[in-house]
DNA sequence: GCTTGGGCAGCAGAAAATGCCAAAAATCAA
DNA sequence: TTGATTTTTGGCATTTTCTGCTGCCCAAGC
């Protein structure tokens, strides 16, 4: 995917679609000050070039009984390399892991895990996380409240 | 919003739309084994009841020059209450804060911040985070790699 | 019998895709 | 610098596909 140059209009389009992915092209065009066809061309280009990766529906976690967020710091045994790939592959197979980052600092990985309740988390720990080979240490921190959760990246840092 | 009972079909619908928010109702219907009209009724009900909160386009962070994820642990001075609200309000005003959680354990808050580079993060720290009143301690951890990032909640925990 | 939920059919409105033309911007050359 | 060519991008109009929506009826479960 070639690095696309994004001008002011592209960023406006992205901002709009990040906010409402179903906004009809007509409205997008109007809001960015373009006529529908060049606007549609831009949107399609943004999709095909991978700038827009996908369109999704967001679901309320509470409504599907997944109100608990747990952040898990994982340290691996010091034999890196193969362990790394194995761990990441194992993590990718766990549906309750919403996010996973390879980190600098004390722990190797930071995960965000969603579960219905503490009991479920305990089960998740015992039956899945601790069974991944190479895991040396696990530290769990629970979120009392999700103050903010956004999927829309801030785009004001390039122009406004 | 009354707590909606979600049956197997509802969960299937949610799973599909979490994956592809633009899937036409016809295809959703077919995949869940329903005819279009009752399927559409369900989708609309899920939207109106708030189970589906919104539809969004996801953007590649690298493509908009925001490749750096920083996790920030923030501790507040011990006078809670008013500080809490003030801090949360301040955080909500910072566009680079993608996520913010009130935590148990050592730190009070955990933030995920996206920035173009380390210099930008330094500016973010100096000009914004440290200026929020009541902040006692800040600890930053940098992500070397985003191993996983999903917006689709796992729904298999209720039935499959 | 009543309530809930699914199916069928048809409608209508909109939205997206095309093709063509015009204008502006960038490039290059003299 | 200037001018011309090339490339890019916007605009208009049309067409065609679809998608969502409505109403009604029927079946199943309570």
């Amino acid at each position: 995917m070639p690095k696309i140059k994004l001008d002011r209009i592209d960023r406006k389009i992205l901002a709009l679609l990040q906010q409402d992915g179903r906004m009809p092209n007509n409205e997008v065009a109007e809001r960015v000050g373009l006529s529908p066809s060049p606007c549609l061309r831009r949107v399609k280009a943004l999709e095909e070039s991978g700038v827009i990766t996908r369109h999704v529906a967001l679901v309320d976690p509470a409504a599907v009984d997944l109100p608990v967020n747990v952040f898990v710091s994982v340290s691996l045994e010091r034999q890196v390399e193969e362990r790394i790939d194995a761990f990441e592959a194992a993590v990718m197979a766990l549906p309750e892991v919403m996010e996973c980052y390879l980190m600098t600092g004390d722990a190797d990985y930071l995960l965000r895990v969603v579960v219905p309740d503490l009991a479920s988390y305990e089960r998740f720990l015992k039956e899945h996380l601790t069974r991944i080979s190479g895991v040396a240490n696990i530290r769990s921190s629970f979120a009392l409240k999700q103050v903010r959760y956004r999927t829309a990246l801030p785009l004001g840092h390039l122009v406004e």
Side-chain angles (χ1 to χ4, degrees), chain A:
Chain A
M1 61 191 115
K3 66 193 72 175
I4 304 291
K5 274 287 173 195
L6 301 174
D7 62 16
R8 216 157 294 119
I9 295 180
D10 288 318
R11 286 190 290 273
K12 268 189 175 181
I13 291 174
L14 291 178
L16 289 172
L17 291 180
Q18 276 191 323
Q19 218 62 27
D20 177 5
R22 285 194 150 180
M23 184 178 295
N25 181 60
N26 273 332
E27 192 178 339
V28 177
E30 188 186 339
R31 293 235 220 161
V32 302
L34 233 53
S35 74
S37 45
C39 182
L40 183 61
R41 267 201 297 259
R42 281 171 180 265
V43 171
K44 283 189 65 178
L46 290 170
E47 286 168 352
E48 276 159 25
S49 66
V51 178
I52 294 177
T53 55
R54 57 200 316 210
H55 287 259
V56 300
L58 299 181
V59 168
D60 175 17
V64 292
D65 192 33
L66 289 169
V68 177
N69 279 284
V70 190
F71 285 87
V72 192
S73 295
V74 177
S75 298
L76 298 191
E77 296 164 1
R78 293 300 160 196
Q79 313 142 25
V80 268
E81 291 307 337
E82 323 98 56
R83 299 294 191 184
I84 294 269
D85 292 341
F87 177 78
E88 293 186 4
V91 157
M92 292 298 286
L94 301 176
E96 41 274 273
V97 177
M98 296 295 290
E99 302 177 56
C100 173
Y101 300 85
L102 176 61
M103 301 297 294
T104 65
D106 22 80
D108 292 319
Y109 287 95
L110 179 62
L111 320 186
R112 179 168 69 91
V113 175
V114 295
V115 285
D117 49 47
L118 291 192
S120 301
Y121 182 66
E122 190 192 348
R123 247 183 296 115
F124 169 76
L125 265 190
K126 291 198 174 168
E127 296 177 11
H128 296 112
L129 247 199
T130 58
R131 293 196 184 170
I132 299 176
S133 79
V135 169
N137 191 10
I138 294 175
R139 206 174 61 87
S140 307
S141 301
F142 294 86
L144 298 171
K145 175 188 174 188
Q146 190 172 53
V147 177
R148 171 176 243 195
Y149 176 76
R150 42 180 342 214
T151 56
L153 297 165
L155 300 179
H157 65 105
L158 295 172
V159 158
E160 187 53 47

